[in-house]
Amino acid sequence: MNNYYTMWFISILCVLIGQGCSKNSTPNQKVTTQASTISSNTVTTGSSEIGSPSATTITSGSNSNNEGITEAKIKNTLQTLNSIKWNKSMFDFSNPDNVKALDERNKMVSALMKDPSVLQRDEVKTTLIDLFNNQTKYAMEYVREHPDTGLGEGYGEEGPNLGGLMNQYMDKRSLYAEVVLLGNTHEFLTTYWQESSQLVLQRIADASSNKKVEEYDGNNILYQIAALGKAQREKHFTLDPEIIKSFKEFAYKELKSAHFSTRETAVEALHNITTKKDKEIIEALKTIAKTDPYKYGAPIFNEQLKKMELYPVREAA
């Protein structure tokens, strides 16, 4: 995976930051999963230049304050977080009251995160998973309706980054938001491969019916197809043949994308799910390997100072 993709996945690890910093938003996605706390149909992916702390950093909390949180404080914090009346207007951060409310939520979450043992308590775990899911759902509902406004950089800087913690929890209740937001950068996708494959299948249906979704989420879906295909061999599970068929059809169609990065990712996806029987796909890949037009020049400082032309999609094919 080249640096472009690496940075892309690192950037979307910042939960929802991409949607906040960008003025682009992706339309709704309707997914049916076993995630009991998620009914959202609006979670999307994005990108950002803002980094995120690692899951270890999130779990360990602040090193400068080792004071434990009292039972009373834990109880009051959970009670407050669980009593939030969520709505999309909460994410209009031109309203100072919403900024203040977000700051208060962040302080409560930070207090819980200071003690790793507190984070493992079932009631704390459930509350933080619900917070992550609801925050994802309603923030994206707001972004979908206000694509030119977004959430603003303040949200990315001040919002609690729960993504890494959700990855450590590996709880199905956060599977939908985690997989859609973070792609295949963690083990969620292949640990819960049955649920994840259904999720990706639904995302394909959404992308196929909405060109704007396809443009922004196409690469992410293709990476997920590639990851599931590769894991199918390595972890010895078998995806439903009809799902594989849909994966192939989507990836094959994306070979004709106007975006070179999408074509390159489609090649990677097909590499992991194509068999010798897929003669049409194989012939298409052979053609791409010879004819894909995208190229860029890398300066080679020799005596002639010539430029070497590189064809990344052809290389992948």
Side-chain angles (χ1 to χ4, degrees), residues 173-272:
R173 288 171 293 179
S174 61
L175 177 64
Y176 174 83
E178 275 283 297
V179 168
V180 174
L181 283 172
L182 306 181
N184 65 340
T185 59
H186 49 70
E187 287 298 310
F188 252 127
L189 192 70
T190 53
T191 297
Y192 299 111
W193 57 269
Q194 289 178 309
E195 295 88 344
S196 296
S197 62
Q198 291 290 338
L199 169 62
V200 176
L201 187 66
Q202 183 59 54
R203 297 189 70 204
I204 288 173
D206 293 336
S208 298
S209 63
N210 190 310
K211 294 300 180 184
K212 192 172 182 180
V213 174
E214 182 177 335
E215 178 182 348
Y216 287 100
D217 281 359
N219 281 6
N220 185 252
I221 294 171
L222 290 167
Y223 275 127
Q224 292 173 353
I225 291 173
L228 286 167
K230 183 178 180 181
Q232 185 178 221
R233 297 192 306 270
E234 295 177 348
K235 297 191 175 184
H236 307 293
F237 60 79
T238 303
L239 292 169
D240 184 277
E242 288 302 311
I243 290 180
I244 287 289
K245 180 181 177 182
S246 295
F247 285 178
K248 288 178 182 177
E249 290 174 351
F250 179 78
Y252 182 72
K253 178 173 65 69
E254 292 300 284
L255 288 176
K256 300 177 183 179
S257 171
H259 303 279
F260 84 90
S261 59
T262 300
R263 297 197 302 275
E264 187 176 1
T265 315
V267 169
E268 181 180 347
L270 290 170
H271 168 72
N272 286 284

Side-chain angles (χ1 to χ4, degrees), residues 2 5 219 251 254-268 270-271 284-296 309-317:
N2 59 32
Y5 298 131
N219 281 6
E254 292 300 284
L255 288 176
K256 300 177 183 179
S257 171
H259 303 279
F260 84 90
S261 59
T262 300
R263 297 197 302 275
E264 187 176 1
T265 315
V267 169
E268 181 180 347
L270 290 170
H271 168 72
L285 293 175
K286 287 181 179 179
T287 300
I288 287 172
K290 296 177 181 179
T291 64
D292 190 88
Y294 180 75
K295 65 181 179 180
Y296 63 89
E309 292 181 340
L310 305 176
Y311 293 83
V313 183
R314 293 187 191 184
E315 286 290 324

Side-chain angles (χ1 to χ4, degrees), residues 106-139:
N106 294 342
K107 289 177 181 177
M108 288 185 281
V109 171
S110 295
L112 295 174
M113 284 186 167
K114 286 180 179 179
D115 188 340
S117 64
V118 171
L119 290 176
Q120 297 309 313
R121 292 169 57 160
D122 287 340
E123 69 274 24
V124 173
K125 181 177 176 180
T126 297
T127 296
L128 292 179
I129 289 171
D130 287 347
L131 176 66
F132 174 72
N133 292 336
N134 283 314
Q135 193 155 275
T136 299
K137 173 185 175 180
Y138 290 99

Side-chain angles (χ1 to χ4, degrees), residues 7-79:
M7 292 304 298
W8 191 77
F9 277 109
I10 290 174
S11 65
I12 61 173
L13 187 59
C14 297
V15 179
L16 301 180
I17 291 176
Q19 292 83 351
C21 296
S22 173
K23 289 187 177 181
N24 296 319
S25 69
T26 52
N28 62 316
Q29 302 175 20
K30 300 177 183 178
V31 180
T32 303
T33 72
Q34 297 182 13
S36 61
T37 61
I38 303 173
S39 59
S40 170
N41 63 355
T42 57
V43 180
T44 59
T45 57
S47 63
S48 171
E49 295 180 356
I50 301 176
S52 67
S54 67
T56 302
T57 302
I58 292 174
T59 304
S60 60
S62 172
N63 292 325
S64 61
N65 186 347
N66 294 321
E67 295 180 5
I69 183 171
T70 65
E71 286 298 317
K73 180 69 173 178
I74 294 173
K75 181 178 180 180
N76 290 337
T77 298
L78 297 184
Q79 199 169 45

